[in-house]
Structures are given as structure tokens and as C-alpha cells.
Amino acid sequence: MTESTCRVCGAATRQFLDLGRQPLSDAFVTPDRVDDEFFYRLAVGVCLGCTMVQLMEEVPREKMFHDSYPYLSRGSSVMRAHFEGVAQSLLTDELTGDDPFVVELGCNDGVMLRTVADAGVRHLGVEPSGSVADIAAEAGVRVRKAFFEEATAQEILEAEGPADVIYAANTLCHIPYLESIMRGVLTLLTDSGVFVFEDPYLGDIVGKTSFDQIYDEHFYLFSATSVDQMARHHGLELVDVERLSVHGGEVRYTLARPGARTRTDAVTSLLADEERVGLGSPVTLGAFATRVAKVGDDLVTLLRELAEQGKRVVGYGATAKSATVTNFCGIGPDLVEFISDTTPAKQGRLAPGSHIPVRTADQFAEPYPDYALLFAWNHADEIMANETAFRDAGGRWILYVPDVRVV
Ligand code: SAM
Ligand code: TMP
Ligand code: ZN
């Protein structure tokens, strides 16, 4: 199927990229369960009406977000600092009235709300994955184990009153059912409140050919243009945008009720930039798909050459993104010996689909491999600064964003 209907506006979508049969990106398996893996077809289309880029097939949410969901937001010091900054700016700019209230969708381990809790400000995290919600609760964050949707918003409103800020990081793009979310936002938000969310930016994904940002959990790849349309469609207004460097390039979008806030010049400017480069056009996205195929070919060619030369290659960071790369390219333990990762729930398991073993960070140095394939390229500065001993020992990094190269 290469035609479908847009989940936001109902117009026709056109497929521009097929990344093949893929496993759940965060389903790290034990060796005895490799025959039980769930697969789906990972293809991406663009709406010819509102330009929203979206997956052609939806994975049921309970398969992705549950009591064994392994991803921890606190795994990166850069991200910890980022979320502390987010909390501080919300406290300073928005949560200033009498007894303010902030709700976070997908609060994960509480990395952002901890700072809000420390400031004594009323807050609630809504987090369906019990594994990480429990960690947030232990950190002193108030958390409700649930999927946010219209009904959840109504319950929160009745129990706690309206929210001055609704915030979501790397979560809204995970949610196909935006209609229910946006109705929930309209239900829960105060008249002058803001809905702030930050997610990987289509402009960066296309600009850097970072096709590994596409996987089951990333149902939408947002742009200012598509979010503007989506907001209007649901009776809200896009009033501010800010480009962020985290996670390989994101945008923070601020939505408000129509007329409640003045739209900033940053919105006008980003919309104009996207129009100029034709960001949401099938032509631009088709050219992106051609570059994706080349990156995949170049990476496999390099890994095969290194294997033939008897070099040891180890993966760094068992990211959800790495599932797309390994399964699209057919990279298995024959080409990448293991993947080093700091997340306890991933260690000792096999990476989804590829079945490359995941080991602890200590094992990366025992002894160092010849090459490290940087799957966590979005944390490159932090990782390379921590791993200078690997370089000093003669090790080299393999990068594949924006193109394949050894550094
Ligand atoms: N906000 C954190 C960050 O930026 O690091 C966590 C992001 S994590 C990639 C996405 C989170 O969204 C997961 O913890 C998942 O359980 C949660 N999630 C998925 N669907 C949700 C929904 N409908 N409502 C609230 N949270 C949801
Ligand atoms: P992310 O790109 O989705 O944030 O995932 C990063 C993954 O990489 C996560 O599993 C944690 C892991 N990681 C390390 O193993 N070492 C590191 O230094 C960092 C920053 C992340
Ligand atoms: Zn649409």
C-alpha cells in the first residue's frame, strides 16, 4: 500500500520511503525469545493536504509502551542539563501565577519534573510505561500511570483543575491519535495557558539524511508547516517555535488558544524557510529517500570491508534509532560484534531484529575495538569527550550522519 489517509486532516498521503520489515525499536530480546519478535512494515508518507509526514502503518501503543519499556531520559548528561533548563524557563516565564500547575506527557523517569517538584510547584506527569513511571515517583515526582488522551485530560481537570502549561518532549510525535490529544489539551489548558512540545525536526532529518529518526515510536516527523496546520485543524494556534540542537536537531513548538498569545517572528521566519526549500514536497522527500539508500549502501560496504580485513567493530549506544539502521541495512553480529550501552534494561539482551548482543559500557574497553559505530550520534559530543582513551588507543569512530565516514 503506497496511498493512505492523513491521520490529522484526512487528505491523501503519498509514500516516499520504505524502510522494510522492522521490529519494535525498543524491544530488546532475551536469547530464548528471538522467535517471538513482532514485526511491522516501516514506510513513510507525506500528506498532500497538510504536509504532515507520518508512518503508513501504526503499531499498537501497548506493544511499545508498557511495564518493560527500557528507555531512560536521564542516560545523557546533556539531556539532564537540557531538561533542567526547560524546567527553569517554565518556572520563570509561565508558572508565575497563584498556585500554577504543569502537566507533562511522557515524563519518563521524571528528568524534567524533578526540578519543578524541587521548586514546590504543582505538577503531574502522565506516563503509561510503568518501568519509568516508577522511577519518576521514586524521585519525588507526582505521576499518573496512563496514556494521555481526551478522557485522561477530563479526569485530571476534575481532580486537579486546569493546567497553565502542558509540556511534552519526544512524546507527541509518538502519538498517532493526535485528535484525542488535542481535544484533551483544549479540555485541560487554562484560557491563557500554553501547550509546549519538542520533537525531532523534519528539516534536520532531511538536511542530515538522519533516516534512523524514523521508527515505530516516531509516528510523525513534524515541521512548522505541518504543526501550524495541525494546530488550526484542532482549534489552537502555533505561536512560537525554537530550533534546538538536542537529539540531532529538534523544534520546540508552543501552541495557545487563538488570540491568547501573539505569534512570534520566529514562526513566520521558519514557515518561510520551509516554503522556500519545499520541505514537505514529494520532490524534496523523494530526493531524501535516494540519499537514504546511498547511506545504507555505503555503510554496509564499509562494514564488509572492515570484516574482511579482520577488524573488530563494536556499536556504541543501543538506540531505538539503531534498529532502523541495522534492520534496513541487514547489519548483524557478523558485522558488529556487540553494542555497548549504559541502560540496565538493555544490557545482556539482543538488539531487536539484528540480534546483536548488548553489553555494558565497561565491556567496550575490554579491550577496545578497532572501530566504534556511533549509533548514538545525537550524543556525539558527550560520548567522544568521555571516550578519549578509545581514540588514544588507536580506535576510530564510524559515523553515518549525514554521510558515512571514519573519524
Ligand atoms: N520526555 C522524555 C524525554 O524527552 O526524554 C521521554 C521521551 S520517551 C522517548 C517517550 C515517552 O512517551 C515514553 O516514556 C512513553 O511511555 C511515553 N508515552 C507514549 N505514549 C504516551 C501517551 N499517550 N501519553 C503520555 N506518555 C506517552
Ligand atoms: P537516545 O539517542 O534515544 O537518547 O538513546 C541513547 C542510547 O545510548 C541510550 O540507550 C543510552 C545510550 N548511551 C550510552 O550508552 N552512553 C552514553 O554516553 C550516552 C549519552 C548514551
Ligand atoms: Zn493531512
Side-chain angles (χ1 to χ4, degrees):
M1 186 180 61
T2 54
E3 295 278 327
S4 186
T5 308
C6 175
R7 286 297 300 256
V8 175
C9 78
T13 58
R14 183 175 300 161
Q15 181 178 312
F16 60 87
L17 178 63
D18 187 349
L19 293 164
R21 185 173 172 268
Q22 292 276 346
L24 301 172
S25 61
D26 265 318
F28 291 82
V29 280
T30 50
D32 58 317
R33 298 297 297 272
V34 288
D35 296 332
D36 292 347
E37 283 186 287
F38 175 89
F39 287 89
Y40 70 102
R41 190 178 67 96
L42 180 58
V44 203
V46 59
C47 174
L48 302 175
C50 73
T51 79
M52 184 65 83
V53 173
Q54 56 202 282
L55 300 193
M56 303 298 283
E57 189 176 319
E58 176 181 348
V59 171
R61 62 188 188 178
E62 290 80 9
K63 286 200 180 294
M64 297 184 282
F65 309 115
H66 42 63
D67 291 350
S68 308
Y69 179 70
Y71 182 74
L72 293 177
S73 303
R74 58 174 67 165
S76 149
S77 62
V78 170
M79 293 313 298
R80 289 196 295 276
H82 171 77
F83 287 121
E84 194 177 326
V86 169
Q88 293 296 0
S89 68
L90 290 179
L91 288 166
T92 310
D93 301 337
E94 297 291 342
L95 300 167
T96 52
D98 186 26
D99 189 24
F101 180 41
V102 53
V103 172
E104 181 179 9
L105 321 185
C107 71
N108 197 272
D109 55 17
V111 70
M112 194 287 281
L113 284 180
R114 258 186 315 181
T115 305
V116 175
D118 288 348
V121 167
R122 208 152 56 84
H123 64 276
L124 183 68
V126 185
E127 174 52 69
S129 297
S131 43
V132 294
D134 287 345
I135 297 175
E138 277 159 31
V141 167
R142 285 189 64 232
V143 55
R144 181 187 184 104
K145 268 188 225 180
F147 286 97
F148 184 84
E149 55 194 356
E150 192 180 4
T152 332
Q154 187 62 45
E155 286 161 20
I156 297 171
L157 179 73
E158 281 161 20
E160 322 237 1
D164 302 281
V165 175
I166 302 177
Y167 174 77
N170 306 298
T171 296
L172 199 70
C173 77
H174 292 51
I175 305 181
Y177 41 99
L178 282 182
E179 197 173 336
S180 175
I181 299 293
M182 300 308 277
R183 279 204 302 257
V185 167
L186 284 169
T187 300
L188 187 57
L189 203 62
T190 58
D191 285 347
S192 59
V194 281
F195 177 30
V196 182
F197 56 95
E198 48 193 73
D199 285 289
Y201 177 46
L202 180 67
D204 285 300
I205 294 168
V206 169
K208 297 174 190 167
T209 318
S210 47
F211 68 98
D212 57 350
Q213 292 281 16
I214 303 166
Y215 51 92
D216 53 351
E217 295 174 21
H218 286 181
F219 187 84
Y220 294 108
L221 307 180
F222 293 140
S223 66
T225 309
S226 62
V227 167
D228 182 40
Q229 298 270 332
M230 188 264 287
R232 284 167 201 268
H233 189 80
H234 293 292
L236 283 159
E237 194 180 1
L238 175 63
V239 295
D240 196 17
V241 289
E242 185 182 346
R243 290 190 73 164
L244 308 171
S245 62
V246 293
H247 283 314
E250 301 205 321
V251 168
R252 177 180 298 144
Y253 305 91
T254 303
L255 272 48
R257 294 184 193 273
R261 304 268 172 135
T262 308
R263 175 176 267 201
T264 63
D265 292 343
V267 178
T268 317
S269 160
L270 193 55
L271 289 172
D273 288 351
E274 293 180 359
E275 170 92 36
R276 197 174 52 249
V277 301
L279 184 59
S281 83
V283 173
T284 304
L285 297 168
F288 164 71
T290 304
R291 293 196 300 279
V292 170
K294 175 163 172 29
V295 170
D297 286 347
D298 289 353
L299 182 58
V300 173
T301 302
L302 172 65
L303 293 176
R304 287 204 184 120
E305 280 169 12
L306 295 174
E308 275 162 26
Q309 293 164 19
K311 303 290 188 196
R312 287 184 62 224
V313 180
V314 161
Y316 202 108
T319 56
K321 295 183 284 295
S322 68
T324 298
V325 179
T326 54
N327 288 281
F328 175 61
C329 298
I331 298 168
D334 52 330
L335 297 179
V336 173
E337 189 180 312
F338 66 88
I339 307 175
S340 146
D341 195 285
T342 52
T343 316
K346 298 181 182 181
Q347 293 160 351
R349 294 185 171 233
L350 304 176
S354 69
H355 301 159
I356 302 171
V358 182
R359 304 217 174 118
T360 61
D362 290 350
Q363 285 170 282
F364 180 60
E366 296 174 354
Y368 283 123
D370 300 303
Y371 293 86
L373 173 54
L374 189 56
F375 287 127
W377 56 267
N378 46 315
H379 303 295
D381 291 347
E382 177 178 352
I383 290 171
M384 289 187 185
N386 285 337
E387 294 289 1
T388 50
F390 166 60
R391 282 306 304 258
D392 294 346
R396 305 186 69 188
W397 294 100
I398 300 172
L399 302 174
Y400 54 85
V401 176
D403 48 22
V404 176
R405 62 200 195 287
V406 175
V407 296

